[in-house]
């Protein structure tokens, strides 16, 4: 079965058709820049353009960078505040003229990693962390997702952790990999003391530079880099839609 997967991010809206049985993208990825202010209607119309590029008619899954409860956006750490309270599922379904199923971006990336990537066959507690503009988390117990964990926003040194240890913070503050890894380590150490995961999967944009910061991470918990890199968001979004159709 093919489902169109869409990854709605702070800088780009990316999509591709996905074979949800194999986790493979069956067509070329198409990306358009996210509109600057990223207001709901603007994002919906850019997403519709991405969908039209594939002349898609059928179910669509979308990963969104916020808490999404029953289709409704609840938070807006790195997106326009106007999203809070919006039923993203109805808005995007109407704009795209297709049924769209929406979930948190880290959660859907986690679904893809657990099925086809670094989390394959992993039992116990797995915590996937996506590190980009924000820090997203996906918590799995024996392969079952606990949705909408927001462990990027725990407080560290009196600050929202994501403001210190995201990739955006590394770039904004021009931190060396070593200094930034120290901050990330502090964040992950806190999480391992609270959740006692068996495995951390580190994904998001920085995962392709893992050799630059992995040597500085000192954790009790085993940690690996995500395997699907920037495909996880698209593949996982399609997989999420499949679970909703079932
Ligand atoms: C948001 C999360 C999201 C993460 C990654 C955070 O700021 O609160 O919901 O998963 O960024 O995009």
């Amino acid at each position: 079965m093919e489902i169109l997967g869409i990854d709605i991010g702070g800088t780009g809206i990316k999509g591709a058709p996905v074979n949800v049985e194999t986790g493979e993208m069956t067509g070329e990825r198409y990306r358009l820049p996210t509109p600057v202010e990223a207001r709901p209607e603007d994002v919906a119309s850019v997403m519709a353009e991405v969908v039209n590029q594939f002349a898609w008619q059928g179910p669509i899954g979308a990963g969104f960078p916020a808490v999404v409860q029953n289709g409704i956006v609840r938070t807006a750490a790195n997106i326009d505040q106007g999203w809070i309270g919006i039923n993203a599922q109805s808005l995007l379904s109407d704009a795209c003229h297709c049924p769209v199923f929406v979930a948190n971006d880290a959660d859907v990336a986690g679904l893809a990693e657990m099925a086809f990537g670094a989390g394959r066959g992993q039992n116990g507690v797995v915590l996937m962390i996506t590190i980009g503009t924000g820090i997203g988390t996906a918590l799995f117990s024996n392969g079952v997702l606990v949705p909408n964990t927001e462990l990027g926003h725990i407080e560290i040194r009196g600050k929202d952790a994501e403001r210190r240890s995201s990739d955006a913070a590394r770039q904004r503050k021009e931190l060396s990999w070593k200094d930034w890894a120290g901050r990330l380590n502090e964040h992950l150490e806190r999480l391992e003391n609270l959740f006692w995961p068996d495995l951390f999967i580190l994904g998001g944009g920085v995962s392709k530079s893992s050799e630059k910061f992995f040597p500085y991470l000192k954790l009790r918990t085993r940690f690996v880099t995500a395997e699907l890199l920037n495909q996880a968001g698209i593949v996982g979004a399609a997989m999420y839609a499949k679970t909703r159709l079932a």
Side-chain angles (χ1 to χ4, degrees):
M1 178 186 200
E2 270 196 351
I3 296 181
L4 188 68
I6 304 277
D7 182 5
I8 301 176
T11 56
I13 299 179
K14 296 151 265 179
V18 175
N19 175 329
V20 288
E21 272 84 42
T22 62
E24 275 157 2
M25 302 196 325
T26 53
E28 190 92 354
R29 198 178 77 122
Y30 184 70
R31 176 189 190 277
L32 287 176
T34 306
V36 181
E37 299 202 16
R39 279 187 289 255
E41 288 69 26
D42 304 339
V43 170
S45 67
V46 174
M47 173 164 158
E49 268 186 71
V50 173
V51 171
N52 288 339
Q53 172 71 20
F54 296 98
W56 190 260
Q57 285 177 329
I60 300 174
F64 193 81
V67 170
V68 183
Q69 247 180 347
N70 304 317
I72 300 170
V73 176
R74 299 294 189 189
T75 62
N78 291 301
I79 55 171
D80 183 73
Q81 299 295 311
W83 277 100
I84 294 180
I86 295 276
N87 189 324
Q89 218 146 265
S90 320
L91 176 75
L92 300 175
S93 298
D94 290 349
C96 301
H97 307 291
C98 290
V100 180
F101 301 97
V102 188
N104 173 262
D105 58 355
D107 282 351
V108 304
L111 289 176
E113 283 295 332
M114 293 303 285
F116 304 113
R120 224 173 351 204
Q122 276 289 332
N123 278 317
V125 174
V126 178
L127 189 51
M128 160 104 179
I129 321 273
T130 65
I131 308 166
T133 309
I135 292 193
T137 55
L139 179 65
F140 293 86
S141 174
N142 292 328
V144 178
L145 173 70
V146 181
N148 288 314
T149 54
E150 285 284 313
L151 306 176
H153 297 295
I154 61 166
E155 190 179 308
I156 295 184
R157 297 184 188 246
K159 282 206 177 135
D160 183 350
E162 145 180 308
R163 303 284 302 163
R164 303 181 70 245
S165 46
S166 66
D167 193 40
R170 181 184 67 81
Q171 294 179 32
R172 193 173 56 238
K173 303 230 162 69
E174 298 182 9
L175 298 171
S176 67
W177 284 102
K178 186 175 181 207
D179 288 350
W180 173 76
R183 291 174 172 214
L184 181 66
N185 201 76
E186 201 174 345
H187 191 170
L188 296 176
E189 222 169 21
R190 187 76 73 76
L191 295 182
E192 68 180 358
N193 289 336
L194 293 170
F195 291 90
W196 287 80
D198 298 293
L199 177 69
F200 278 125
I201 302 176
L202 305 185
V206 288
S207 56
K208 48 181 187 295
S209 310
S210 59
E211 78 291 346
K212 301 211 172 85
F213 67 95
F214 267 37
Y216 302 117
L217 297 180
K218 304 278 176 277
L219 299 162
R220 174 203 315 125
T221 309
R222 193 161 69 86
F223 56 95
V224 294
T225 176
E227 284 172 17
L228 303 177
L229 300 174
N230 62 5
Q231 287 184 19
I234 292 174
V235 172
M239 289 174 60
Y240 173 71
K242 184 189 169 198
T243 66
R244 293 286 307 279
L245 288 167

